Amino acid sequence: MSERQVRSRFWGSEAFSGLALISPTALYAILLLAAPLATTLLYSVFTDGYLVVIPHFQLCNYIGECRSQLADGTPSPDTYLGAWSDPITQALMLRSLNVSMLVTAMTVLLAYPVAYFVSFNVDASRKSLWLFLITIPFWTSYVIRVFMWNVMMSRTGVINSVLEGMGIISEPLQMVFTIQAMVVTLAHAYAPFAILPIFVALEKIDRSLLEAGQDLGETRFTTFLRVTLPLSMTGVIASVLIVFIPTIGDYVTPNLIGGGKIPMIANIIEKQMLKADNRPLGSAIAVSAMLVVGLISVLFLFLNRRYLKGQK
Amino acid sequence: MKIPTLRIYTIAYLIFLYTPIVILPIFAFNNSTAVAFPLQGFTTEWFYNIAHDDVLFRALQNSLIVSSISSVLSATLGTFAARASTRYKFPGSGPLMGLIMLPMVLPDMITAMALLVVLLSIGIKLSLVTIILGHVLICTPFSVAILTSAFQSLDKSLEEAACDLGEGPVSTFMLVILPLVMPGIISALLISFTISLDEFIVTNFLGSGEPLLSTFIYGQLRFPKYVPNIMALGTVLVGVSIILLTLAEFFRRRGIAKTGSKDTGGFL
């Protein structure tokens, strides 16, 4: 085969057509997403200077004590602690993880029965109407939706004024500025992201398997545990990840529901990147957060694989 | 009689989902700056206020510009990616699609900060353009998701028939495929538009301080006396989104009817 034939075979090939077609979108994502993420990773091991980042390798933004450089290039007399050494960052990281995990558990557990109902108990022709009803509240302003929970839960808010009006409580309940309030708000905000993947997985289950289970003497409940649940695990995993990963970086809820008093990891990233102008430290915190979330996600996928293996 | 536990539960859950947006119009018409019960009487003052707010109008104008451009760009980029991944097998398709879809799960804060730091370090001034760059990144995965299902439901024999009848790949795409996926493209445009209009974090950090709808709302919420205005604005926005979504759903269903496949529900 001559070189020319090889070349013309490549230009006309499926691989080339596919790559050519995807290239605008791929280039956009590489330039505006992959490159910035790589830069963040690089910055996290560089040295903080005055309004600039100095390409001097070090790991102190992660562990240990770090020194910024002053405007004249000399090291600053003050030190700061790296992301993993600083007790405040540690506490915020743990709080963010705690909130994310609670939100994920609450959202997915509450969503599963809803997805199950729509998939198994609703007539096929009306399923998309139900899904439409479920998604409608979520296409309205996110900021307003979060703020509405403040309206409901504040000291003079809807829930307190109703309960007081009915004489159930005499003192208003303290609901905003608590972690629980943030969890409820986020569980509400992410509900459709949990319902839809589980619904899709449930829809794919061959209904004859369920009949087979019951013919073989299983009750409805054990059929659910031994057939439906394992088969829908792909959807559960998708919803766990799609809720868990973004909630850890939520910025609006800590400000509007936590009143800025219960900051989460996104708030400290903002503070370091912008107000404190310490981009290496801000980058290191961002990378650390993603690393922790990534590790937990992988661990979760591994445990799920073991669970599904145990089923067989 | 058997108690329909699951149905009752689902309806209770729907009530939980709808409570915030049902409360919104109640306080939009309530004649009190305090957003609490008991209601103080009917007023349209808050709607009057927002209709005469110049900053809000500028924010709305900016938002419409940003969201229109972002939705057109992300639907276009989404069409390329969805068509490539459904029609062709090529090396690197998995990782590339993974990267394109990444903003769907990546916290917006990380996406925004990474992009912001790079833009600042190469000396690009923040403006509506930088907001659009970020919005396209966030909206494209949703366009890809919608368009992938549109392209997947295409009958490949239609395309082969066009080829047999002497059409080239480009004219086949324009004459046969594009009209068939058009409903998918329109629904991708509408969804991207809605997401872009709603986006707060990217808008807040990649903007120059020029108000957009979401950042304007966020700014106003810090002042209790403006809260009723935001209730009125929110009511208008809820109305508009429901209209847009109903349109999107209408086009999606028409697309499914056109290609003759079964309705499998949902946008995502």
Side-chain angles (χ1 to χ4, degrees), chain B residues 85-147:
Chain B
S85 71
T86 49
R87 173 68 175 76
Y88 303 100
K89 273 201 169 74
F90 53 94
S93 127
L96 284 178
M97 285 306 283
L99 177 67
I100 292 167
M101 300 303 277
L102 186 62
M104 218 170 185
V105 286
L106 201 65
D108 288 352
M109 191 67 186
I110 306 271
T111 316
M113 277 301 158
L115 193 51
L116 173 69
V117 165
V118 169
L119 290 174
L120 290 179
S121 66
I122 52 178
I124 292 177
K125 274 228 177 77
L126 297 180
S127 64
L128 293 186
V129 177
T130 48
I131 297 179
I132 292 172
L133 290 179
H135 280 197
V136 173
L137 213 52
I138 304 275
C139 296
T140 303
F142 291 91
S143 292
V144 173
I146 293 166
L147 287 161

Short mmCIF file of all heavy atoms in Angstrom, two decimals, chain B residues 85-147:
data_model
loop_
_atom_site.label_atom_id
_atom_site.label_comp_id
_atom_site.label_asym_id
_atom_site.label_seq_id
_atom_site.Cartn_x
_atom_site.Cartn_y
_atom_site.Cartn_z
N SER B 85 -20.48 11.73 18.20
CA SER B 85 -20.43 10.57 19.09
C SER B 85 -21.49 9.53 18.75
O SER B 85 -21.33 8.36 19.06
CB SER B 85 -20.56 11.00 20.56
OG SER B 85 -21.87 11.42 20.80
N THR B 86 -22.59 9.94 18.11
CA THR B 86 -23.61 8.92 17.79
C THR B 86 -23.38 8.30 16.41
O THR B 86 -23.77 7.17 16.17
CB THR B 86 -25.04 9.53 17.80
OG1 THR B 86 -25.02 10.73 17.03
CG2 THR B 86 -25.49 9.85 19.20
N ARG B 87 -22.74 9.02 15.50
CA ARG B 87 -22.63 8.54 14.12
C ARG B 87 -21.30 7.83 13.86
O ARG B 87 -21.25 6.89 13.08
CB ARG B 87 -22.80 9.72 13.18
CG ARG B 87 -22.56 9.47 11.71
CD ARG B 87 -23.62 8.57 11.11
NE ARG B 87 -23.43 8.42 9.66
CZ ARG B 87 -22.49 7.67 9.11
NH1 ARG B 87 -21.66 6.99 9.88
NH2 ARG B 87 -22.38 7.59 7.80
N TYR B 88 -20.22 8.32 14.48
CA TYR B 88 -18.89 7.80 14.14
C TYR B 88 -18.22 7.14 15.34
O TYR B 88 -18.43 7.52 16.48
CB TYR B 88 -17.97 8.92 13.63
CG TYR B 88 -18.51 9.65 12.44
CD1 TYR B 88 -19.14 10.88 12.59
CD2 TYR B 88 -18.39 9.11 11.17
CE1 TYR B 88 -19.64 11.56 11.48
CE2 TYR B 88 -18.89 9.78 10.05
CZ TYR B 88 -19.52 11.00 10.22
OH TYR B 88 -20.02 11.65 9.14
N LYS B 89 -17.39 6.12 15.00
CA LYS B 89 -16.51 5.54 16.03
C LYS B 89 -15.13 6.11 15.76
O LYS B 89 -14.64 6.03 14.64
CB LYS B 89 -16.45 4.02 15.85
CG LYS B 89 -17.53 3.27 16.57
CD LYS B 89 -17.09 1.81 16.77
CE LYS B 89 -18.01 1.10 17.72
NZ LYS B 89 -19.31 0.78 17.11
N PHE B 90 -14.51 6.72 16.77
CA PHE B 90 -13.17 7.26 16.54
C PHE B 90 -12.35 7.21 17.82
O PHE B 90 -12.90 7.20 18.93
CB PHE B 90 -13.25 8.70 16.00
CG PHE B 90 -14.07 9.63 16.83
CD1 PHE B 90 -13.49 10.42 17.81
CD2 PHE B 90 -15.44 9.70 16.65
CE1 PHE B 90 -14.25 11.28 18.57
CE2 PHE B 90 -16.22 10.55 17.42
CZ PHE B 90 -15.62 11.33 18.38
N PRO B 91 -11.01 7.15 17.66
CA PRO B 91 -10.17 7.04 18.85
C PRO B 91 -10.32 8.30 19.71
O PRO B 91 -10.43 9.40 19.19
CB PRO B 91 -8.75 6.92 18.29
CG PRO B 91 -8.84 7.51 16.91
CD PRO B 91 -10.22 7.20 16.42
N GLY B 92 -10.32 8.12 21.03
CA GLY B 92 -10.39 9.26 21.93
C GLY B 92 -11.80 9.78 22.14
O GLY B 92 -12.00 10.79 22.80
N SER B 93 -12.79 9.09 21.58
CA SER B 93 -14.16 9.60 21.70
C SER B 93 -14.62 9.60 23.16
O SER B 93 -15.26 10.56 23.61
CB SER B 93 -15.08 8.78 20.81
OG SER B 93 -16.17 8.28 21.48
N GLY B 94 -14.24 8.55 23.91
CA GLY B 94 -14.63 8.48 25.33
C GLY B 94 -14.09 9.65 26.15
O GLY B 94 -14.86 10.40 26.74
N PRO B 95 -12.74 9.81 26.18
CA PRO B 95 -12.18 10.92 26.96
C PRO B 95 -12.66 12.29 26.50
O PRO B 95 -12.95 13.15 27.34
CB PRO B 95 -10.67 10.79 26.73
CG PRO B 95 -10.44 9.42 26.27
CD PRO B 95 -11.70 8.94 25.64
N LEU B 96 -12.77 12.49 25.18
CA LEU B 96 -13.21 13.81 24.70
C LEU B 96 -14.65 14.10 25.14
O LEU B 96 -14.95 15.18 25.63
CB LEU B 96 -13.11 13.88 23.17
CG LEU B 96 -11.71 14.06 22.59
CD1 LEU B 96 -11.74 14.07 21.06
CD2 LEU B 96 -11.07 15.35 23.11
N MET B 97 -15.53 13.10 25.00
CA MET B 97 -16.91 13.31 25.43
C MET B 97 -16.96 13.51 26.94
O MET B 97 -17.74 14.32 27.44
CB MET B 97 -17.80 12.12 25.03
CG MET B 97 -18.15 12.07 23.56
SD MET B 97 -18.90 13.59 22.95
CE MET B 97 -20.57 13.43 23.58
N GLY B 98 -16.11 12.78 27.66
CA GLY B 98 -16.04 12.93 29.11
C GLY B 98 -15.69 14.36 29.49
O GLY B 98 -16.32 14.97 30.35
N LEU B 99 -14.69 14.92 28.79
CA LEU B 99 -14.27 16.29 29.07
C LEU B 99 -15.39 17.27 28.75
O LEU B 99 -15.68 18.18 29.53
CB LEU B 99 -13.02 16.63 28.24
CG LEU B 99 -12.50 18.06 28.39
CD1 LEU B 99 -11.97 18.29 29.79
CD2 LEU B 99 -11.43 18.36 27.36
N ILE B 100 -16.07 17.06 27.61
CA ILE B 100 -17.15 17.98 27.21
C ILE B 100 -18.29 17.93 28.23
O ILE B 100 -18.87 18.96 28.57
CB ILE B 100 -17.64 17.62 25.79
CG1 ILE B 100 -16.55 17.92 24.76
CG2 ILE B 100 -18.93 18.36 25.45
CD1 ILE B 100 -16.80 17.34 23.39
N MET B 101 -18.58 16.72 28.76
CA MET B 101 -19.70 16.57 29.70
C MET B 101 -19.31 16.94 31.14
O MET B 101 -20.17 17.05 32.00
CB MET B 101 -20.24 15.13 29.68
CG MET B 101 -20.75 14.66 28.34
SD MET B 101 -22.06 15.71 27.69
CE MET B 101 -23.49 15.06 28.54
N LEU B 102 -18.01 17.09 31.39
CA LEU B 102 -17.51 17.31 32.76
C LEU B 102 -18.21 18.43 33.53
O LEU B 102 -18.54 18.25 34.71
CB LEU B 102 -15.99 17.52 32.73
CG LEU B 102 -15.27 17.63 34.07
CD1 LEU B 102 -15.43 16.32 34.86
CD2 LEU B 102 -13.79 17.93 33.88
N PRO B 103 -18.49 19.60 32.91
CA PRO B 103 -19.10 20.68 33.70
C PRO B 103 -20.45 20.31 34.31
O PRO B 103 -20.92 20.96 35.23
CB PRO B 103 -19.28 21.81 32.67
CG PRO B 103 -18.27 21.54 31.65
CD PRO B 103 -18.17 20.05 31.56
N MET B 104 -21.09 19.23 33.81
CA MET B 104 -22.36 18.80 34.38
C MET B 104 -22.19 18.34 35.82
O MET B 104 -23.08 18.53 36.64
CB MET B 104 -22.91 17.65 33.54
CG MET B 104 -24.39 17.67 33.34
SD MET B 104 -24.78 16.41 32.12
CE MET B 104 -26.51 16.70 31.91
N VAL B 105 -21.05 17.71 36.14
CA VAL B 105 -20.83 17.26 37.52
C VAL B 105 -19.83 18.13 38.28
O VAL B 105 -19.89 18.21 39.50
CB VAL B 105 -20.36 15.78 37.62
CG1 VAL B 105 -21.50 14.84 37.34
CG2 VAL B 105 -19.18 15.51 36.73
N LEU B 106 -18.91 18.77 37.58
CA LEU B 106 -17.91 19.60 38.27
C LEU B 106 -18.62 20.76 38.98
O LEU B 106 -19.49 21.40 38.40
CB LEU B 106 -16.94 20.15 37.22
CG LEU B 106 -15.57 20.60 37.71
CD1 LEU B 106 -14.80 19.42 38.26
CD2 LEU B 106 -14.80 21.26 36.59
N PRO B 107 -18.27 21.02 40.26
CA PRO B 107 -18.89 22.18 40.90
C PRO B 107 -18.63 23.44 40.08
O PRO B 107 -17.51 23.66 39.62
CB PRO B 107 -18.18 22.27 42.26
CG PRO B 107 -17.66 20.91 42.51
CD PRO B 107 -17.36 20.32 41.16
N ASP B 108 -19.67 24.26 39.89
CA ASP B 108 -19.54 25.48 39.09
C ASP B 108 -18.43 26.37 39.63
O ASP B 108 -17.76 27.09 38.89
CB ASP B 108 -20.85 26.27 39.09
CG ASP B 108 -21.90 25.57 38.25
OD1 ASP B 108 -21.55 24.61 37.57
OD2 ASP B 108 -23.07 26.00 38.30
N MET B 109 -18.26 26.33 40.96
CA MET B 109 -17.24 27.16 41.59
C MET B 109 -15.85 26.83 41.03
O MET B 109 -15.05 27.73 40.78
CB MET B 109 -17.27 26.87 43.10
CG MET B 109 -16.47 27.83 43.89
SD MET B 109 -17.25 29.45 43.80
CE MET B 109 -16.03 30.38 44.67
N ILE B 110 -15.57 25.53 40.86
CA ILE B 110 -14.26 25.11 40.36
C ILE B 110 -14.11 25.54 38.90
O ILE B 110 -13.09 26.13 38.51
CB ILE B 110 -14.11 23.57 40.48
CG1 ILE B 110 -14.39 23.11 41.91
CG2 ILE B 110 -12.76 23.10 39.95
CD1 ILE B 110 -13.23 23.10 42.84
N THR B 111 -15.14 25.29 38.08
CA THR B 111 -15.11 25.70 36.68
C THR B 111 -14.86 27.20 36.58
O THR B 111 -13.99 27.66 35.83
CB THR B 111 -16.46 25.38 36.00
OG1 THR B 111 -16.89 24.09 36.39
CG2 THR B 111 -16.37 25.44 34.50
N ALA B 112 -15.62 27.96 37.36
CA ALA B 112 -15.54 29.42 37.28
C ALA B 112 -14.17 29.92 37.73
O ALA B 112 -13.55 30.76 37.06
CB ALA B 112 -16.63 30.05 38.13
N MET B 113 -13.67 29.41 38.85
CA MET B 113 -12.40 29.88 39.39
C MET B 113 -11.24 29.54 38.46
O MET B 113 -10.36 30.37 38.23
CB MET B 113 -12.14 29.25 40.77
CG MET B 113 -12.83 29.98 41.87
SD MET B 113 -12.29 31.69 41.91
CE MET B 113 -13.64 32.44 42.75
N ALA B 114 -11.23 28.31 37.93
CA ALA B 114 -10.14 27.89 37.05
C ALA B 114 -10.10 28.81 35.83
O ALA B 114 -9.05 29.34 35.45
CB ALA B 114 -10.34 26.43 36.63
N LEU B 115 -11.29 29.06 35.25
CA LEU B 115 -11.36 29.90 34.06
C LEU B 115 -10.98 31.35 34.40
O LEU B 115 -10.23 32.00 33.67
CB LEU B 115 -12.79 29.83 33.49
CG LEU B 115 -13.03 30.39 32.10
CD1 LEU B 115 -12.03 29.81 31.11
CD2 LEU B 115 -14.45 30.07 31.64
N LEU B 116 -11.47 31.82 35.54
CA LEU B 116 -11.20 33.20 35.96
C LEU B 116 -9.70 33.44 36.11
O LEU B 116 -9.16 34.44 35.61
CB LEU B 116 -11.90 33.48 37.29
CG LEU B 116 -11.57 34.83 37.93
CD1 LEU B 116 -12.17 35.95 37.10
CD2 LEU B 116 -12.09 34.91 39.36
N VAL B 117 -9.03 32.50 36.79
CA VAL B 117 -7.60 32.68 37.05
C VAL B 117 -6.82 32.74 35.74
O VAL B 117 -5.94 33.57 35.56
CB VAL B 117 -7.12 31.54 37.97
CG1 VAL B 117 -5.61 31.46 37.97
CG2 VAL B 117 -7.65 31.74 39.37
N VAL B 118 -7.20 31.87 34.79
CA VAL B 118 -6.50 31.88 33.50
C VAL B 118 -6.78 33.17 32.74
O VAL B 118 -5.86 33.81 32.21
CB VAL B 118 -6.91 30.64 32.66
CG1 VAL B 118 -6.41 30.78 31.23
CG2 VAL B 118 -6.34 29.39 33.29
N LEU B 119 -8.04 33.59 32.71
CA LEU B 119 -8.39 34.82 31.99
C LEU B 119 -7.63 36.01 32.56
O LEU B 119 -7.09 36.83 31.83
CB LEU B 119 -9.90 35.08 32.07
CG LEU B 119 -10.79 34.13 31.28
CD1 LEU B 119 -12.26 34.41 31.57
CD2 LEU B 119 -10.52 34.24 29.79
N LEU B 120 -7.58 36.09 33.90
CA LEU B 120 -6.89 37.21 34.53
C LEU B 120 -5.39 37.16 34.24
O LEU B 120 -4.77 38.19 33.98
CB LEU B 120 -7.12 37.20 36.04
CG LEU B 120 -8.54 37.55 36.50
CD1 LEU B 120 -8.63 37.50 38.01
CD2 LEU B 120 -8.97 38.92 35.98
N SER B 121 -4.82 35.93 34.26
CA SER B 121 -3.37 35.86 34.11
C SER B 121 -2.94 36.14 32.67
O SER B 121 -1.81 36.55 32.44
CB SER B 121 -2.83 34.52 34.59
OG SER B 121 -3.30 33.51 33.76
N ILE B 122 -3.82 35.91 31.67
CA ILE B 122 -3.42 36.32 30.32
C ILE B 122 -3.94 37.71 29.99
O ILE B 122 -3.86 38.17 28.86
CB ILE B 122 -3.84 35.29 29.23
CG1 ILE B 122 -5.32 34.95 29.33
CG2 ILE B 122 -2.99 34.05 29.29
CD1 ILE B 122 -5.77 34.00 28.24
N GLY B 123 -4.47 38.39 31.01
CA GLY B 123 -4.80 39.81 30.86
C GLY B 123 -6.07 40.11 30.09
O GLY B 123 -6.19 41.17 29.49
N ILE B 124 -7.04 39.18 30.10
CA ILE B 124 -8.32 39.47 29.43
C ILE B 124 -9.24 40.17 30.43
O ILE B 124 -9.42 39.71 31.56
CB ILE B 124 -8.96 38.16 28.91
CG1 ILE B 124 -8.12 37.60 27.78
CG2 ILE B 124 -10.41 38.43 28.44
CD1 ILE B 124 -8.60 36.30 27.23
N LYS B 125 -9.79 41.32 30.00
CA LYS B 125 -10.69 42.07 30.88
C LYS B 125 -12.02 41.35 31.01
O LYS B 125 -12.55 40.84 30.03
CB LYS B 125 -10.94 43.46 30.27
CG LYS B 125 -9.90 44.48 30.65
CD LYS B 125 -10.61 45.78 31.11
CE LYS B 125 -9.63 46.82 31.57
NZ LYS B 125 -8.94 47.48 30.44
N LEU B 126 -12.56 41.33 32.22
CA LEU B 126 -13.86 40.69 32.42
C LEU B 126 -14.96 41.54 31.79
O LEU B 126 -14.93 42.76 31.89
CB LEU B 126 -14.13 40.50 33.92
CG LEU B 126 -13.15 39.57 34.64
CD1 LEU B 126 -13.51 39.46 36.10
CD2 LEU B 126 -13.11 38.21 33.99
N SER B 127 -15.90 40.87 31.12
CA SER B 127 -16.98 41.58 30.44
C SER B 127 -18.10 40.58 30.19
O SER B 127 -18.05 39.45 30.68
CB SER B 127 -16.49 42.13 29.11
OG SER B 127 -16.13 41.05 28.27
N LEU B 128 -19.09 41.01 29.42
CA LEU B 128 -20.15 40.06 29.06
C LEU B 128 -19.59 38.90 28.26
O LEU B 128 -20.07 37.77 28.35
CB LEU B 128 -21.24 40.78 28.25
CG LEU B 128 -22.06 41.84 28.99
CD1 LEU B 128 -23.19 42.34 28.09
CD2 LEU B 128 -22.63 41.29 30.29
N VAL B 129 -18.53 39.17 27.48
CA VAL B 129 -17.92 38.11 26.66
C VAL B 129 -17.38 36.99 27.53
O VAL B 129 -17.59 35.80 27.25
CB VAL B 129 -16.80 38.68 25.76
CG1 VAL B 129 -16.13 37.57 24.96
CG2 VAL B 129 -17.35 39.74 24.82
N THR B 130 -16.69 37.35 28.63
CA THR B 130 -16.13 36.29 29.48
C THR B 130 -17.25 35.50 30.15
O THR B 130 -17.12 34.29 30.36
CB THR B 130 -15.17 36.87 30.54
OG1 THR B 130 -15.81 37.99 31.17
CG2 THR B 130 -13.87 37.33 29.91
N ILE B 131 -18.36 36.19 30.47
CA ILE B 131 -19.50 35.45 31.04
C ILE B 131 -20.02 34.45 30.02
O ILE B 131 -20.29 33.29 30.34
CB ILE B 131 -20.63 36.43 31.45
CG1 ILE B 131 -20.14 37.36 32.56
CG2 ILE B 131 -21.85 35.66 31.91
CD1 ILE B 131 -21.18 38.37 33.01
N ILE B 132 -20.12 34.90 28.75
CA ILE B 132 -20.61 34.00 27.70
C ILE B 132 -19.69 32.78 27.57
O ILE B 132 -20.16 31.65 27.49
CB ILE B 132 -20.71 34.74 26.35
CG1 ILE B 132 -21.84 35.78 26.44
CG2 ILE B 132 -20.98 33.77 25.20
CD1 ILE B 132 -21.92 36.71 25.24
N LEU B 133 -18.36 33.01 27.60
CA LEU B 133 -17.42 31.89 27.50
C LEU B 133 -17.73 30.84 28.57
O LEU B 133 -17.74 29.64 28.29
CB LEU B 133 -15.98 32.39 27.69
CG LEU B 133 -15.39 33.25 26.56
CD1 LEU B 133 -13.97 33.67 26.92
CD2 LEU B 133 -15.40 32.48 25.25
N GLY B 134 -17.97 31.30 29.80
CA GLY B 134 -18.28 30.37 30.89
C GLY B 134 -19.63 29.70 30.71
O GLY B 134 -19.76 28.49 30.92
N HIS B 135 -20.63 30.47 30.30
CA HIS B 135 -21.97 29.90 30.14
C HIS B 135 -22.00 28.82 29.08
O HIS B 135 -22.68 27.80 29.25
CB HIS B 135 -22.98 31.01 29.79
CG HIS B 135 -23.42 31.79 30.98
ND1 HIS B 135 -24.53 32.59 30.97
CD2 HIS B 135 -22.90 31.90 32.22
CE1 HIS B 135 -24.68 33.15 32.17
NE2 HIS B 135 -23.68 32.75 32.93
N VAL B 136 -21.28 29.04 27.98
CA VAL B 136 -21.26 28.03 26.91
C VAL B 136 -20.69 26.72 27.46
O VAL B 136 -21.21 25.63 27.19
CB VAL B 136 -20.44 28.53 25.70
CG1 VAL B 136 -20.27 27.43 24.66
CG2 VAL B 136 -21.12 29.73 25.06
N LEU B 137 -19.66 26.84 28.28
CA LEU B 137 -19.04 25.66 28.90
C LEU B 137 -20.07 24.89 29.74
O LEU B 137 -20.13 23.66 29.69
CB LEU B 137 -17.89 26.15 29.79
CG LEU B 137 -16.66 25.28 29.95
CD1 LEU B 137 -16.11 24.87 28.62
CD2 LEU B 137 -15.62 26.05 30.75
N ILE B 138 -20.88 25.62 30.51
CA ILE B 138 -21.86 25.00 31.41
C ILE B 138 -23.06 24.43 30.63
O ILE B 138 -23.58 23.38 30.97
CB ILE B 138 -22.39 26.05 32.43
CG1 ILE B 138 -21.24 26.68 33.21
CG2 ILE B 138 -23.44 25.45 33.33
CD1 ILE B 138 -20.78 25.93 34.40
N CYS B 139 -23.49 25.14 29.58
CA CYS B 139 -24.72 24.74 28.86
C CYS B 139 -24.48 23.60 27.86
O CYS B 139 -25.40 22.81 27.60
CB CYS B 139 -25.32 25.91 28.09
SG CYS B 139 -25.87 27.25 29.15
N THR B 140 -23.26 23.54 27.28
CA THR B 140 -23.02 22.55 26.24
C THR B 140 -23.34 21.11 26.66
O THR B 140 -23.99 20.40 25.89
CB THR B 140 -21.57 22.67 25.71
OG1 THR B 140 -21.38 24.00 25.24
CG2 THR B 140 -21.31 21.71 24.59
N PRO B 141 -22.94 20.65 27.88
CA PRO B 141 -23.28 19.27 28.24
C PRO B 141 -24.78 18.99 28.18
O PRO B 141 -25.18 17.90 27.76
CB PRO B 141 -22.77 19.14 29.67
CG PRO B 141 -21.76 20.18 29.83
CD PRO B 141 -22.14 21.30 28.92
N PHE B 142 -25.60 19.95 28.56
CA PHE B 142 -27.05 19.73 28.53
C PHE B 142 -27.53 19.64 27.08
O PHE B 142 -28.37 18.81 26.75
CB PHE B 142 -27.77 20.84 29.29
CG PHE B 142 -27.53 20.77 30.78
CD1 PHE B 142 -26.48 21.45 31.37
CD2 PHE B 142 -28.35 19.99 31.59
CE1 PHE B 142 -26.24 21.37 32.73
CE2 PHE B 142 -28.12 19.90 32.95
CZ PHE B 142 -27.06 20.60 33.53
N SER B 143 -26.97 20.50 26.21
CA SER B 143 -27.32 20.41 24.79
C SER B 143 -26.92 19.05 24.23
O SER B 143 -27.68 18.43 23.50
CB SER B 143 -26.57 21.49 23.99
OG SER B 143 -27.06 22.76 24.31
N VAL B 144 -25.70 18.60 24.59
CA VAL B 144 -25.23 17.31 24.09
C VAL B 144 -26.18 16.20 24.54
O VAL B 144 -26.57 15.34 23.75
CB VAL B 144 -23.79 17.02 24.58
CG1 VAL B 144 -23.36 15.61 24.19
CG2 VAL B 144 -22.81 18.03 24.01
N ALA B 145 -26.59 16.24 25.82
CA ALA B 145 -27.47 15.19 26.34
C ALA B 145 -28.78 15.14 25.56
O ALA B 145 -29.24 14.07 25.16
CB ALA B 145 -27.74 15.42 27.83
N ILE B 146 -29.38 16.31 25.31
CA ILE B 146 -30.66 16.34 24.58
C ILE B 146 -30.46 15.90 23.14
O ILE B 146 -31.21 15.09 22.61
CB ILE B 146 -31.24 17.77 24.62
CG1 ILE B 146 -31.63 18.13 26.04
CG2 ILE B 146 -32.43 17.90 23.68
CD1 ILE B 146 -31.89 19.61 26.24
N LEU B 147 -29.39 16.43 22.51
CA LEU B 147 -29.18 16.14 21.09
C LEU B 147 -28.74 14.71 20.84
O LEU B 147 -29.04 14.14 19.81
CB LEU B 147 -28.17 17.13 20.50
CG LEU B 147 -28.77 18.53 20.35
CD1 LEU B 147 -27.70 19.58 20.22
CD2 LEU B 147 -29.70 18.55 19.14
#
